[in-house]
Amino acid sequence: MSLAEMSVARTARDTGLIFRRQLRQTLRSKVAIVFGAVQPLLYLVLFGPLLTTMTGVGSFGGGNAWQVFVPGVLIQLALFGAGFVGFDLIADLRSGVVERLRVTPASRVALLLGRVLRDTLVLTVQAVMLVAAGLAMGLRAPAAGLVAGLVFVVLLAVGCASLSYVLALMTRSEDAFAPLLSAVTLPLMLLSGMLLPMSMAPGWLDVVSHFTPFRYVVEAVRAAFRGDYASLAVAEGAAVTVALLVVSLVLGTRRFRRENA
């Protein structure tokens, strides 16, 4: 076995160890997993029914309004659910957990990947719960479209979680992390068209939203839910998601290596 293969094997082994450790901590509070999906579920229950009267209006077309709304809520879950995981790392910094891990021979990349995999698994469970709730409330989408939408959510969750950990290591304090996170996530939510398609917005706002990468992801998931797998929207959304994934993992890996050098 070459040195490169040994390094990859070691990273994979250490990632599994960190993942299991983080997952055990999460499972000690199973209620947190359920309540993490409460806000998106409230959007479905309390806001979603209002959109059923808009069928045939603007971008809602003559199809199923839930095909427009549920994808947006899924991306919102990935953005906020993965975006807030940095608070957990800040708590570990304060309690000395990260300091103790520094003296172990564990791969520095694994310290990031293990956490991100835990976060992604939790968000995947919550996303499946949301899709099931959407189907119960009237969502109609092909099975392949639902799977494609969940893949987008998973990849986006990996990217957002990695960036969240980078910001947490930069700020190292809830007092600094919270306002910074809000300043980033709120405009992303409003300009991406998660709740309502941005094509319904005034012209200037629609133009501004095109500079928001999450808009392309939202539109890609909506296209997948309609069954338009070969559309430009899906291609653009996939390109943006992969780019975000690569950039976030590179930044996260560099930061964790520097932090634990």
Side-chain angles (χ1 to χ4, degrees):
M1 182 180 293
S2 66
L3 290 177
E5 291 174 336
M6 291 177 61
S7 177
V8 171
R10 177 194 171 195
T11 300
R13 180 199 63 199
D14 293 346
T15 298
L17 291 173
I18 299 297
F19 167 73
R20 288 191 292 272
R21 178 185 181 277
Q22 295 295 323
L23 186 60
R24 282 196 298 270
Q25 291 181 341
T26 300
L27 292 177
R28 290 171 187 166
S29 179
K30 299 181 179 64
V31 176
I33 300 177
V34 177
F35 275 91
V38 166
Q39 182 177 349
L41 280 173
L42 287 177
Y43 275 108
L44 285 183
V45 175
L46 302 180
F47 188 73
L50 300 176
L51 303 180
T52 58
T53 61
M54 298 182 66
T55 300
V57 177
S59 297
F60 283 92
N64 188 285
W66 294 104
Q67 289 179 342
V68 176
F69 187 58
V70 174
V73 177
L74 283 173
I75 302 303
Q76 182 190 39
L77 173 67
L79 174 61
F80 284 89
F84 280 81
V85 297
F87 283 106
D88 182 59
L89 179 58
I90 292 175
D92 283 350
L93 286 168
R94 182 182 298 105
S95 63
V97 172
V98 175
E99 186 69 28
R100 290 194 294 272
L101 287 174
R102 283 179 182 168
V103 300
T104 68
S107 165
R108 290 346 186 195
V109 177
L111 297 180
L112 169 68
L113 296 181
R115 287 177 175 271
V116 169
L117 285 178
R118 184 275 312 269
D119 302 329
T120 303
L121 176 60
V122 171
L123 280 168
T124 301
V125 172
Q126 294 172 343
V128 171
M129 291 169 54
L130 279 176
V131 169
L135 291 171
M137 298 186 69
L139 170 66
R140 297 295 177 264
L146 296 176
V147 172
L150 290 175
V151 170
F152 272 106
V153 171
V154 168
L155 296 179
L156 195 60
V158 173
C160 290
S162 300
L163 290 177
S164 180
Y165 287 132
V166 170
L167 292 177
L169 288 173
M170 290 173 58
T171 58
R172 311 180 74 88
S173 165
E174 291 92 342
D175 293 337
F177 181 70
L180 177 60
L181 190 64
S182 297
V184 172
T185 56
L186 186 58
L188 286 176
M189 182 188 74
L190 296 177
L191 290 174
S192 64
M194 292 180 186
L195 302 181
L196 293 173
M198 290 307 297
S199 55
M200 300 177 66
W204 67 269
L205 192 57
D206 184 38
V207 171
V208 171
S209 72
H210 278 90
F211 295 93
T212 305
F214 279 76
R215 168 173 178 156
Y216 300 97
V217 184
V218 172
E219 292 184 348
V221 179
R222 284 172 176 156
F225 274 38
R226 294 193 303 268
D228 298 334
Y229 311 118
S231 65
L232 178 62
V234 172
E236 290 177 339
V240 169
T241 302
V242 171
L244 175 64
L245 177 68
V246 172
V247 170
S248 62
L249 285 177
V250 169
L251 291 176
T253 299
R254 287 180 178 177
R255 187 72 195 191
F256 264 73
R257 281 175 172 167
R258 187 187 314 160
E259 185 73 21
N260 296 282

